[in-house]
Amino acid sequence: MASGQIHIAILNPGVEITPLRLRGWLHKEAAAIDKRANPGDGAILRLFLTKKLRYGLPARKLDAILQALIDKYPAIQRVETQLVEAPLMPEEMEEQTRLANVHLEKFKQRAEEYAKRKQAEALENARPAPIQWHTLKSALD
């Protein structure tokens, strides 16, 4: 069974991040997240893109940038993007953090239920050990 933890990182590029700077900023953030992760940990990035950033890059270019994050940094498992009008305010970031924690708790519960179900299935399907007969020789023989 896998060990480690799943983390959700909320990435909120500020107004100073332009479409030309997005790639470098994302790699810097992903590298920091990857560096903090322990072996076996996984991270999901939730990237809140403004319309300016999203539509400032061709779709293929954005896909290539996001795929490069997953390919380069082992801890990064997935990147989820959400389109927003403007960078998130501190209150909105707190709300997104709360939602991320709720999602992590639900994921943890489903993972535990799955592990228990798989363990029960393994026990049900386990073959009994074959009976082995041995002939004992006495010291008198």
Side-chain angles (χ1 to χ4, degrees), residues 7-81:
H7 305 276
I8 297 178
I10 298 170
L11 299 180
N12 183 37
V15 293
E16 72 281 0
I17 304 300
T18 64
L20 293 176
R21 291 183 170 177
L22 182 63
R23 181 175 181 245
W25 182 82
L26 282 173
H27 276 275
K28 184 180 93 180
E29 295 294 322
I33 291 165
D34 189 66
K35 187 176 181 180
R36 284 192 308 256
N38 294 321
D41 286 358
I44 298 170
L45 304 183
R46 287 200 176 156
L47 175 60
F48 290 85
L49 289 175
T50 61
K51 289 182 178 181
K52 175 185 170 186
L53 286 174
R54 169 58 192 94
Y55 298 119
L57 293 168
R60 284 187 177 184
K61 177 85 169 171
L62 181 59
D63 287 345
I65 291 170
L66 299 179
Q67 186 62 48
L69 296 177
I70 294 169
D71 294 341
K72 185 171 183 177
Y73 303 104
I76 309 297
Q77 300 296 311
R78 183 173 70 212
V79 180
E80 301 172 350
T81 59

Side-chain angles (χ1 to χ4, degrees), residues 8 46 98-108 110:
I8 297 178
R46 287 200 176 156
R98 187 190 68 73
L99 288 173
N101 287 327
V102 168
H103 290 151
L104 279 176
E105 192 58 38
K106 287 180 183 178
F107 177 80
K108 180 181 169 187
R110 286 193 310 260

